[in-house]
Amino acid sequence: MTKGRMEAFSDGVIAIIITIMVLELKVPHGFGLEALKPVIPVFVSYVLSFVFLGIYWNNHHHLIHAIKHVSGGVLWANLHLLFWLSLTPFVTAWMGENHFAKWPVAMYGVVLLFSAIAFNILVRVLLAVHGKDSVLATALGNDFKGKISLVFYAAAIPLAFVSVWISCAIYVLVAAMWLVPDRRIEKTLAQ
């Protein structure tokens, strides 16, 4: 399989995940602004998840452009990432429908953590295939943002049982860290 085919498949899966999430947004009963109030938690959780999926899509795109080919291990690592991302609609809906209750917020963090771990595994497998002197290895460097994201997610999960708002603030913080596209790969490819 070519890297282009893997990228197209991944793009399609992420697009379907986003579509499933938006279908969870139910039309409110009523016609005034007051009718929107019950759906605010669902909408907020949707926006957060949409941003996370956009971040993964963007970074996945950059990864694929920094490599030359894929292997069987890369394909499996990519499917592992897509598996965890595919759970996003479930935890997003659960968190929103239950107005950010402790267990749904913690489980949302579990999916975020395992998605980040899966992305890290994909990167490690790509590095193993392409070598430590590859464009990808040069571009990624020590990947501080990737490592600190794992720490933040791991901390946010148990913190959901102390304060869901602290956990949610951590999720927003990580999203904000990644919202600005990672230019390391673009800069390295331009050289």
Side-chain angles (χ1 to χ4, degrees):
M1 178 185 287
T2 65
K3 72 177 192 170
R5 189 160 179 220
M6 185 182 90
E7 183 179 28
F9 175 76
S10 301
D11 287 351
V13 170
I14 292 171
I16 290 168
I17 293 168
I18 290 172
T19 302
I20 291 168
M21 280 190 340
V22 78
L23 292 174
E24 288 293 321
L25 296 176
K26 305 297 181 210
V27 176
H29 301 288
F31 51 85
L33 290 178
E34 191 64 30
L36 294 174
K37 191 174 182 182
V39 297
I40 289 174
V42 175
F43 182 72
V44 168
S45 64
Y46 167 78
V47 169
L48 183 61
S49 293
F50 185 91
V51 168
F52 274 113
L53 288 169
I55 290 165
Y56 276 104
W57 176 77
N58 192 324
N59 287 320
H60 188 272
H61 170 77
H62 283 99
L63 274 183
I64 301 306
H65 283 276
I67 64 171
K68 294 182 178 174
H69 58 278
V70 296
S71 66
V74 170
L75 296 177
W76 282 109
N78 192 63
L79 281 173
H80 180 234
L81 170 63
L82 294 175
F83 168 77
W84 287 105
L85 293 178
S86 73
L87 295 175
T88 303
F90 172 74
V91 291
T92 300
W94 192 28
M95 187 170 69
E97 289 289 331
N98 291 289
H99 299 256
F100 298 89
K102 292 176 183 181
W103 273 105
V105 169
M107 290 309 293
Y108 187 82
V110 167
V111 170
L112 292 176
L113 175 63
F114 280 95
S115 295
I117 289 169
F119 191 84
N120 194 342
I121 291 170
L122 176 60
V123 168
R124 299 294 157 232
V125 172
L126 285 168
L127 289 171
V129 168
H130 290 85
K132 63 180 179 177
D133 296 326
S134 66
V135 170
L136 181 63
T138 302
L140 291 176
N142 71 0
D143 193 26
F144 176 77
K145 278 198 322 188
K147 291 172 184 169
I148 197 70
S149 297
L150 292 170
V151 171
F152 283 157
Y153 291 144
I157 295 166
L159 282 172
F161 299 101
V162 175
S163 169
V164 294
W165 303 116
I166 292 173
S167 290
C168 289
I170 292 170
Y171 302 151
V172 170
L173 173 68
V174 174
M177 277 183 358
W178 286 98
L179 202 54
V180 175
D182 196 344
R183 303 272 186 231
R184 293 176 296 179
I185 293 175
E186 286 179 6
K187 286 179 185 176
T188 304
L189 288 175
Q191 295 172 355

